[in-house]
Amino acid sequence: MPMNTQKLAYWSFKLQAIALLVIGRTRAAEAVFGRMLQRWPADAYALASRAHVRAQLGQRDAAIADAQALVGAHPERSAADWFNLAFLLEEASRFDEAEPAFRRAVELDPKLDRAWYGLGLALIRQQRFDEAVAALEHNTQLQPMSPYGWYQLARVHVDRKEPEAARKIIRHLHGFEPKVAAQLERETGLAP
């Protein structure tokens, strides 16, 4: 097939899938992405799109398989690809697999705060608290006004029997997220 015909076929599939998504026909769009992948098995757009659609449809294992195929075929393409895979793995409680995917995401983009946060959560789930502290500290440096990293960091300090470090975070949170600070106080029994 001549190159222009290939491009035309590719764009036809792509536009059809986008139109189906716009009108809410997610399963039909998934099928179009499947047809694209039959013709172009390693296509990054089709793999990423089908993984996303499958995740929306609750087909987590299939979404993970597509995300793994994407990073396998295009390991340097995007930190977001690795983050999406890690997120799906973490959501499936596959923390030992999520961790290296989060690590790869932050290698490709050290400023990807969501990946540092996810890495911290995966490490917490594995009870690797020292490493979790380091990951969450990166997250809070990148997102100092987001309470999520601070909250998890305080919880890790409590788990590590470091109440003063947790109190310091609670005091810090009182400055911009008093509701989260109050929640931590209730959960931990620590007052600033």
Side-chain angles (χ1 to χ4, degrees):
M1 195 178 277
M3 186 57 135
N4 288 341
T5 307
Q6 282 278 4
K7 282 185 182 180
L8 183 62
Y10 182 85
W11 279 98
S12 175
F13 279 123
K14 189 172 180 177
L15 292 173
Q16 182 183 4
I18 290 169
L20 289 166
L21 289 171
V22 167
I23 62 172
R25 297 199 47 220
T26 309
R27 289 193 190 285
E30 177 193 15
V32 172
F33 291 129
R35 288 195 298 278
M36 287 178 77
L37 289 166
Q38 286 174 343
R39 290 183 74 171
W40 303 282
D43 183 71
Y45 173 79
L47 284 167
S49 298
R50 190 170 74 174
H52 178 74
V53 165
R54 285 178 162 179
Q56 286 181 321
L57 292 170
Q59 302 170 8
R60 186 184 302 137
D61 290 340
I64 289 170
D66 282 343
Q68 288 171 326
L70 174 61
V71 300
H74 308 278
E76 305 293 323
R77 185 179 93 110
S78 167
D81 294 342
W82 286 96
F83 171 80
N84 291 336
L85 170 60
F87 178 83
L88 289 167
L89 290 166
E90 198 258 342
E91 194 175 55
S93 299
R94 292 165 58 177
F95 308 117
D96 57 331
E97 294 173 76
E99 178 200 342
F102 280 126
R103 287 191 188 280
R104 185 68 181 126
V106 297
E107 282 175 21
L108 291 171
D109 183 358
K111 293 184 179 184
L112 187 58
D113 60 281
R114 301 173 300 156
W116 285 110
Y117 180 74
L119 176 59
L121 292 181
L123 292 165
I124 288 169
R125 301 299 188 307
Q126 297 175 70
Q127 297 188 354
R128 292 166 53 196
F129 299 126
D130 293 344
E131 293 172 85
V133 166
L136 292 168
E137 285 176 346
H138 277 287
N139 172 262
T140 58
Q141 288 169 3
L142 294 167
Q143 284 292 335
M145 299 306 286
S146 172
Y148 304 109
W150 291 111
Y151 172 86
Q152 293 297 336
L153 189 54
R155 297 296 310 197
V156 170
H157 284 305
V158 169
D159 291 340
R160 290 172 64 187
K161 311 287 188 248
E162 299 169 345
E164 286 310 310
R167 280 188 182 97
K168 184 177 177 184
I169 291 171
I170 291 170
R171 282 192 298 275
H172 177 71
L173 283 168
H174 269 293
F176 67 97
E177 284 289 345
K179 289 181 181 177
V180 175
Q183 179 182 346
L184 274 168
E185 288 175 30
R186 283 190 307 275
E187 291 175 4
T188 64
L190 298 173

